[in-house]
Amino acid sequence: MNSDDAGATWRQVDSPVSSDLLGVDFPTPQQGWAVGHEGVVLHSADQGKSWVKQYDGRQAAKELVEHYTKLAEGGDEAALAYLDGVKLNYKDGPEQALMDVWFADDQRGFVAGTFGTLLGTEDGGKTWVSWMERVDNPDFLHYLAISGSGEQVFIASERGIVFRFNKGSGRFDLVETGYSGSFFGIDVTPQAVVAAGLRGTAYKSLDQGASWSSMQTGVKVALSDVQALPDSRFLLASVDGRVIISDAKLDAFQSVSTSRPGRFSSLALLPGGKVVTVGYSGVRQVGLR
């Protein structure tokens, strides 16, 4: 869907694929990317008014097998495990989903998905390269969300694990948060990182991911998304149609109103400070205060 009036009205736009789309990111007002099932990557250069397919799971399967075969033939023993994993992931076709996408600017970005799938681009999605071997994830855990701020980039995963980009090594390091369930959403500001997941669980870090502490959200169902606001507060959406907002210190939450309840899957910050929820029942505006 697309809106030209800061979310007041919306219209459906054509998609070049029939796959379910699960994540979207616009690093600039014009340039945006969307990802989803069957490994599809879509790109828009006109504020989401039109989309083209840049990549899909068939290309990923072919290129990942070629990549790890070449590394293995060159004597990289670790590449054999990735080669076996990739072949297993794609043995039944391009079924691996890309769960989320994040771009630092209109050239550099990542797409992240199931069974440890992580691809990066430095040319606006014209080419994608594997980052799977650059993550401390030997168990091929699912990547469920990715977000960043400047040089800080974090991936939310299963088992309460977050992966943090290490600029010095050029890798993503595994970080234990103290939680044992899945995180479905994560967002990053220069001051804080918040990850949220099952049973209303949310964790925060105020030191760039070095340490984490739990947050009392007052929600008992899964939290589907996290959105940082410009005033240092964070919004969280739940699958049962609630939206909660933190205080600036991330110590407490309170409920905020939406135009209509629904099963919310994500949140989006619009120009002018407006926020909407997105889900199976469409777009809902959030009443901030």
Side-chain angles (χ1 to χ4, degrees), residues 24 36 46 48 58 72 78 86 112-114 126 130 151 160 175 188 207 214-215 269:
V24 63
D46 57 7
R58 291 179 176 83
V86 166
T114 53
K126 295 181 179 67
S130 175
E151 298 296 336
V175 177
V188 186
D207 52 12
S214 62
M215 308 169 72
L269 182 63

Side-chain angles (χ1 to χ4, degrees), residues 27-281:
T28 74
Q30 294 288 333
Q31 303 284 339
W33 283 263
V35 299
H37 285 283
E38 298 181 320
V40 298
V41 180
L42 307 184
H43 174 241
S44 174
D46 57 7
Q47 300 180 319
K49 297 174 185 175
S50 63
W51 296 83
V52 297
K53 186 176 74 169
Q54 280 189 327
Y55 202 69
D56 63 23
R58 291 179 176 83
Q59 291 169 269
K62 177 177 180 294
E63 293 175 7
L64 288 172
V65 168
E66 290 175 350
H67 173 67
Y68 290 113
T69 297
K70 183 177 180 180
L71 289 180
E73 291 175 346
D76 186 344
E77 294 184 3
L80 291 173
Y82 289 100
L83 180 59
D84 290 343
V86 166
K87 287 182 177 179
L88 180 63
N89 286 353
Y90 293 97
K91 71 173 184 177
D92 295 323
E95 60 185 16
Q96 299 309 315
L98 294 176
M99 304 298 293
D100 205 4
V101 53
W102 176 79
F103 270 72
D105 51 41
D106 63 1
Q107 296 297 306
R108 300 173 298 133
F110 293 102
V111 294
T114 53
F115 292 103
T117 302
L118 184 66
L119 306 172
T121 182
E122 293 188 348
D123 57 11
K126 295 181 179 67
T127 58
W128 293 89
V129 298
S130 175
W131 272 66
M132 293 176 66
E133 69 270 29
R134 288 190 256 181
V135 187
D136 184 14
N137 183 16
D139 295 330
F140 292 87
L141 298 178
H142 298 322
Y143 302 138
L144 302 175
I146 183 169
S147 183
S149 174
E151 298 296 336
Q152 296 186 69
V153 187
F154 290 81
I155 303 172
S157 185
E158 305 172 89
R159 303 178 189 170
I161 290 171
V162 169
F163 297 93
R164 176 180 59 182
F165 181 62
N166 184 326
K167 184 179 179 181
S169 65
R171 295 178 55 85
F172 281 88
D173 298 330
L174 185 152
V175 177
E176 299 277 2
T177 63
Y179 178 52
S180 60
S182 294
F183 286 126
F184 299 134
I186 193 166
D187 207 1
V188 186
T189 71
Q191 295 77 34
V193 186
V194 173
L198 289 169
R199 295 181 294 277
T201 300
Y203 274 67
K204 66 181 178 182
S205 173
L206 304 180
D207 52 12
Q208 300 181 349
S211 62
W212 295 79
S213 59
S214 62
M215 308 169 72
Q216 299 302 314
T217 65
V219 176
K220 301 301 181 183
V221 299
L223 295 166
S224 53
D225 199 18
V226 181
Q227 174 68 61
L229 299 178
D231 61 7
S232 300
R233 296 183 296 173
F234 280 75
L235 278 177
L236 282 66
S238 71
V239 296
D240 68 347
R242 280 180 284 175
V243 178
I244 57 175
I245 189 168
S246 75
D247 58 17
K249 294 183 179 180
L250 305 183
D251 289 331
F253 286 90
Q254 61 180 343
S255 296
V256 297
S257 63
T258 60
S259 57
R260 295 196 307 277
R263 186 172 180 179
F264 303 143
S265 59
S266 59
L267 294 157
L269 182 63
L270 305 181
K274 293 182 179 180
V275 176
V276 296
T277 61
V278 182
Y280 294 108
S281 52

